[in-house]
Amino acid sequence: MEKIRTAAVQMAMRCQVEDNIYQAECLVRRAAAEGANIILLPELFETKYFCQERNYNYYKLARTLDENMAVRRFRDVARSLGVVIPVSFFERDGNNTYNTVAVIDADGTVLGIYRKTHIPDDQFYQEKFYFTPGDTGFKVWKTRFGTIGVGICWDQWFPECARSMALMGADILLYPTAIGSEPILDVDSMPHWRRVMQGHAAANITPVVAANRVGKEMVFPCAENNQQSSSLTFYGSSFITDASGELLSSADRTAETVIYGDIDLEAVRELRMSWGLFRDRRPGMYGAITRQHG
């Protein structure tokens, strides 16, 4: 048996970067004390969700991988606790800015980065204003506790992302997230949000971990945002599935908390082989996936 414990951190964001890093570290340390080996934090946890508004001042938040405060801090934390921590951050690389995850192994080494492939542009989720579409392609990393693949928020709605990482050998799929109320659509997207990722787990026979933020975040009118006034309520509901998509644990919509899921990687690999889903694939028949459609 090759058993590991995964954890998803659910938290509300403070106004100051230092305060968010401190709170995230407290929750990571709680997870490690409970035996977690792989600990997932939410998307862009260093700040409130600045993509709710268009404001050129927020470009100043972007940092290189080496400069970013959270990456630097959690390299030390990962090393001291012996845990794997994917860290979501706003990356600057030359003249481009990206929504990026740095994957930190249990010895504090940055194994590499993944840049968000699918960039949303919706009312108050205005990420195309800030982020260049990722150029890394989908990736997986061999960590001390298995091979992980990481997609970022909007990526989680695309089955191609999950399948690509599974084909590359991911034992677990992780999705740091910032999602909440829909400002235009009269819908509660939370159940749909969960089900799409539960489907990824079931279709690929690969456990899924999703970590979301909570709390109401307000935007107040100012000259820099063209007098916008708005709010988003992030609905938490972080969860962890087994390889069939069944929920192992889930959080509520409001609490700052840590949830856990125990996974036997050897058993999952055997189950994946026994189902034959990858054996029976017909890639030559899937041309419609890569063709442009109106």
Side-chain angles (χ1 to χ4, degrees), residues 133-210:
D135 58 0
T136 59
F138 305 122
K139 302 178 76 171
V140 301
W141 294 271
K142 292 184 178 180
T143 75
R144 183 182 298 180
F145 301 108
T147 301
I148 65 171
V150 183
I152 304 173
C153 200
W154 192 228
D155 288 331
Q156 66 209 356
W157 295 88
F158 294 83
E160 297 87 352
C161 174
R163 176 52 58 91
S164 294
M165 292 188 289
L167 287 170
M168 296 166 71
D171 291 313
I172 305 168
L173 303 177
L174 300 104
Y175 294 101
T177 299
I179 189 170
S181 53
E182 302 295 337
I184 299 299
L185 301 176
D186 183 20
V187 64
D188 175 11
S189 62
M190 191 282 285
H192 187 182
W193 170 74
R194 275 192 173 177
R195 284 195 296 269
V196 73
M197 284 180 281
Q198 288 178 266
H200 297 334
N204 293 291
I205 312 185
T206 305
V208 164
V209 181

Side-chain angles (χ1 to χ4, degrees), residues 9-11 23-32 256-258:
V9 170
Q10 180 167 290
M11 61 182 282
Q23 179 65 6
E25 181 177 342
C26 290
L27 294 170
V28 165
R29 289 187 178 277
R30 181 200 300 181
E256 288 193 300
T257 189
V258 183

Side-chain angles (χ1 to χ4, degrees), residues 2-164:
E2 189 179 344
K3 291 187 176 180
I4 65 162
R5 171 165 278 198
T6 59
V9 170
Q10 180 167 290
M11 61 182 282
M13 307 313 164
R14 283 72 175 162
C15 292
Q16 300 300 317
V17 171
E18 295 83 356
D19 293 338
N20 288 317
I21 293 175
Y22 173 78
Q23 179 65 6
E25 181 177 342
C26 290
L27 294 170
V28 165
R29 289 187 178 277
R30 181 200 300 181
E34 293 294 327
N37 308 116
I38 300 173
I39 304 170
L40 183 64
L41 290 158
E43 181 186 21
L44 299 172
F45 65 88
E46 289 181 277
T47 63
K48 290 185 179 291
Y49 185 70
F50 54 85
C51 307
Q52 187 177 166
E53 60 181 312
R54 295 190 176 199
N55 188 326
Y56 287 100
N57 289 331
Y58 289 134
Y59 284 116
K60 299 173 185 176
L61 294 171
R63 297 287 186 272
T64 67
L65 175 67
D66 292 335
E67 293 170 340
N68 181 264
M69 289 176 59
V71 173
R72 291 165 63 182
R73 180 59 194 150
F74 282 102
R75 290 190 68 183
D76 293 337
V77 172
R79 184 185 304 110
S80 67
L81 299 177
V83 297
V84 174
I85 310 174
V87 172
S88 171
F89 71 105
F90 186 15
E91 182 196 10
R92 177 176 58 81
D93 182 17
N95 293 319
N96 290 331
T97 55
Y98 298 95
N99 188 335
T100 299
V101 164
V103 176
I104 304 174
D105 205 356
D107 62 356
T109 301
V110 176
L111 297 179
I113 62 169
Y114 166 70
R115 291 169 172 162
K116 188 172 182 176
T117 298
H118 304 97
I119 309 298
D121 186 21
D122 200 357
Q123 191 80 5
F124 307 150
Y125 295 91
Q126 301 177 86
E127 297 195 13
K128 280 187 167 67
F129 184 75
Y130 296 100
F131 307 129
T132 302
D135 58 0
T136 59
F138 305 122
K139 302 178 76 171
V140 301
W141 294 271
K142 292 184 178 180
T143 75
R144 183 182 298 180
F145 301 108
T147 301
I148 65 171
V150 183
I152 304 173
C153 200
W154 192 228
D155 288 331
Q156 66 209 356
W157 295 88
F158 294 83
E160 297 87 352
C161 174
R163 176 52 58 91
S164 294

Side-chain angles (χ1 to χ4, degrees), residues 183-237:
I184 299 299
L185 301 176
D186 183 20
V187 64
D188 175 11
S189 62
M190 191 282 285
H192 187 182
W193 170 74
R194 275 192 173 177
R195 284 195 296 269
V196 73
M197 284 180 281
Q198 288 178 266
H200 297 334
N204 293 291
I205 312 185
T206 305
V208 164
V209 181
N212 195 15
R213 65 175 66 197
V214 292
K216 186 175 184 178
E217 299 187 13
M218 306 285 294
V219 168
F220 299 99
C222 64
E224 289 77 14
N225 70 10
N226 198 29
Q227 305 302 321
Q228 176 181 325
S229 177
S230 63
S231 68
L232 289 173
T233 300
F234 294 92
Y235 51 56
S237 305

